[in-house]
Amino acid sequence: MKIIFIIDQVYLHGGIERVLSIKASYFSKESNNEVHIITTEQKNNKPCYDFSDKIIFKDIEINYNRNKSYFHPTNLLKLPKHILKIRSEINKIKPDVVVVCSHSTDTYFMPFIAKSVPKIKEFHFSKFIEVAPRANPRNFLKKWFFKFTDYVESKYDQLVVLNPNEIGYYKSENTTVIPNPLTFFPDTTSNLENKAIISAGRIAHVKGYDILIDIWELVCKLKNDWQIHIYGDGDSNYVNHLKRKVKEKGLQKSFIFKGATSDIKGKMLESSIYVMSSRNECFPLVLLEAQACGLPIVSFDCPHGPKSILNPDNGVLVPLNDNAFFAEKLVELMKNNEQIQRMGDSARKNAQNYSVDKVMKLWEDMFIDLINKNSTP
């Protein structure tokens, strides 16, 4: 089976890139598979995650201006070259299936080129963010754009979403649910004895770290002998804004930005609780990673990811934006080592449901089904 995965790049740390390294490497281990990854702006950088050396990489050097919208004239002028180069690579490789991973420009034209090849689009964000603008589009162009995206999505052979709640946001009938696979399952778990709380991910508004600072201020009034460690990076202006907020509240000794790390597993194993303050999520892989390390979790019940992973045995779901309740539940957990241990054990067991073999079997079955349908006269 020949498989092409299409993504913008694989040199920046991110959930999509990390999951792709697992999926592509999984398929490449079979001798009868040939796996290609086509990027548009790798810029001679090395991949930031471990990919099998059997995978064939090709960067087509479109190099969009990431500081502007993909629909800005500067980027739209690069679109013809992008289409021609992708078409050329597909015609050369002659794949059995093509998977579009990231939500970049190729999302909107892939169903219409090399039509004989089955194409899959996977979504790593929640369409919840489109509910309000779809109900009240700010202008005719926005209304037209939503109709256009619905049409494009209907032309894919399959849309892959990460949790069942997402299916309702799609107009077409070609959706299926496949969760992300667990990226690691360590032999040991955290001893849950360090007074350290961890959160990790892109430092951006959607992740709610500004809210987490407010929550931590409430926590410190009740229990001030713990630290919270934030791993990840983002726009320097926004990161500095958050650091100033921490300093203004006098929390700089306990609310600590640690920057990006290539050893999130090790950092989790040194922690005792994981927290998530996101405004929305689709399927937060980092929660599974925390569970694999035996960490109990306190998270906002944001649309729609955490509720797909957490239950009362392994974590606490807090109503979105209820900072006081979040702080209260976090402090309760911090004070109760027995509860931390019990939830941590349950979290570890839950993570096993998302093993690579179990999840990748779903991908393999889907590929085979689409290929068989495509070969039927």
Side-chain angles (χ1 to χ4, degrees):
M1 180 165 53
K2 287 186 179 181
I3 308 164
I4 294 179
F5 292 99
I6 295 176
I7 191 169
D8 55 349
Q9 52 72 39
V10 290
Y11 70 89
L12 296 174
H13 289 271
I16 298 174
E17 293 79 11
R18 185 164 27 172
V19 170
L20 176 58
S21 71
I22 294 169
K23 289 191 299 197
S25 297
Y26 178 91
F27 282 115
S28 71
K29 72 182 180 181
E30 298 294 335
S31 59
N32 60 331
N33 288 339
E34 182 179 299
V35 179
H36 297 255
I37 295 179
I38 299 177
T39 55
T40 55
E41 46 200 87
Q42 187 67 12
K43 301 176 182 177
N44 296 317
N45 293 296
K46 292 182 179 180
C48 62
Y49 297 108
D50 292 330
F51 287 84
S52 166
D53 56 11
K54 296 180 181 179
I55 298 169
I56 303 166
F57 286 89
K58 173 69 174 182
D59 185 58
I60 58 174
E61 300 179 345
I62 306 303
N63 297 327
Y64 289 104
N65 185 337
R66 298 298 293 271
N67 294 320
K68 298 182 183 296
S69 163
Y70 280 120
F71 299 98
H72 187 279
T74 301
N75 285 328
L76 286 177
L77 288 172
K78 299 183 178 186
L79 189 56
K81 176 184 175 183
H82 188 171
I83 294 172
L84 289 172
K85 285 201 167 188
I86 283 284
R87 180 189 284 130
S88 174
E89 291 299 318
I90 291 175
N91 289 338
K92 187 190 307 178
I93 296 168
K94 294 181 172 54
D96 295 295
V97 65
V98 173
V99 183
V100 181
C101 302
S102 58
H103 200 68
S104 50
T105 309
D106 35 38
T107 294
Y108 301 102
F109 66 74
M110 280 306 305
F112 309 107
I113 65 172
K115 293 184 180 181
S116 62
V117 181
K119 298 185 186 68
I120 298 159
K121 172 72 182 99
E122 52 180 300
F123 288 87
H124 291 265
F125 67 92
S126 176
K127 280 246 183 175
F128 170 80
I129 63 176
E130 293 184 359
V131 171
R134 278 178 178 268
N136 294 289
R138 62 177 179 264
N139 54 46
F140 172 78
L141 284 177
K142 197 67 176 176
K143 183 177 181 179
W144 176 87
F145 177 72
F146 285 132
K147 289 183 178 295
F148 171 66
T149 57
D150 291 342
Y151 173 73
V152 170
E153 289 164 6
S154 73
K155 296 303 178 182
Y156 278 95
D157 295 272
Q158 200 77 62
L159 305 178
V160 175
V161 298
L162 295 174
N163 70 67
N165 295 292
E166 291 297 315
I167 291 179
Y169 295 127
Y170 293 83
K171 304 293 185 183
S172 51
E173 301 295 323
N174 55 345
T175 53
T176 190
V177 177
I178 302 180
N180 281 331
L182 187 60
T183 54
F184 53 72
F185 196 79
D187 294 332
T188 60
T189 59
S190 168
N191 61 22
L192 304 177
E193 293 179 358
N194 291 333
K195 294 183 177 182
I197 296 168
I198 186 172
S199 189
R202 179 169 49 97
I203 309 298
H205 178 74
V206 69
K207 299 300 183 180
Y209 290 118
D210 56 325
I211 304 173
L212 190 57
I213 295 169
D214 294 332
I215 292 170
W216 192 246
E217 182 181 27
L218 298 175
V219 168
C220 288
K221 291 177 180 177
L222 301 171
K223 192 163 180 61
N224 60 7
D225 56 341
W226 285 56
Q227 289 187 340
I228 185 166
H229 300 159
I230 311 299
Y231 289 92
D233 54 22
D235 177 77
S236 59
N237 291 329
Y238 186 66
V239 174
N240 289 333
H241 162 71
L242 294 178
K243 288 181 177 179
R244 285 194 298 271
K245 182 172 182 176
V246 168
K247 188 174 182 179
E248 288 167 1
K249 291 180 178 291
L251 302 173
Q252 59 268 39
K253 290 185 178 180
S254 61
F255 195 106
I256 303 169
F257 288 94
K258 294 283 194 174
T261 179
S262 58
D263 183 27
I264 192 61
K265 177 175 66 174
K267 304 306 180 185
M268 287 178 171
L269 291 173
E270 295 170 355
S271 307
S272 296
I273 301 172
Y274 189 92
V275 293
M276 173 168 280
S277 53
S278 297
R279 291 175 165 89
N280 67 73
E281 289 281 350
C282 191
F283 188 88
L285 180 61
V286 70
L287 294 189
L288 284 182
E289 293 171 336
Q291 289 191 334
C293 293
L295 298 187
I297 295 166
V298 180
S299 170
F300 275 137
D301 185 14
C302 63
H304 286 286
K307 72 177 66 174
S308 302
I309 297 171
L310 300 185
N311 62 56
D313 292 330
N314 57 47
V316 180
L317 280 173
V318 177
L320 190 59
N321 297 323
D322 193 339
N323 293 6
F325 190 63
F326 196 118
E328 176 188 331
K329 290 300 177 182
L330 186 54
V331 170
E332 284 181 10
L333 197 54
M334 293 159 69
K335 289 181 176 180
N336 191 334
N337 187 256
E338 183 181 331
Q339 185 181 13
I340 287 179
Q341 296 286 343
R342 185 173 62 252
M343 282 187 163
D345 290 342
S346 179
R348 172 83 164 180
K349 291 175 184 176
N350 185 63
Q352 293 175 319
N353 295 323
Y354 299 89
S355 70
V356 172
D357 287 342
K358 287 182 179 179
V359 172
M360 294 312 299
K361 181 64 165 57
L362 299 176
W363 277 95
E364 189 169 21
D365 289 346
M366 179 180 62
F367 284 170
I368 292 171
D369 183 56
L370 290 175
I371 292 168
N372 289 340
K373 285 180 180 177
N374 191 57
S375 62
T376 303

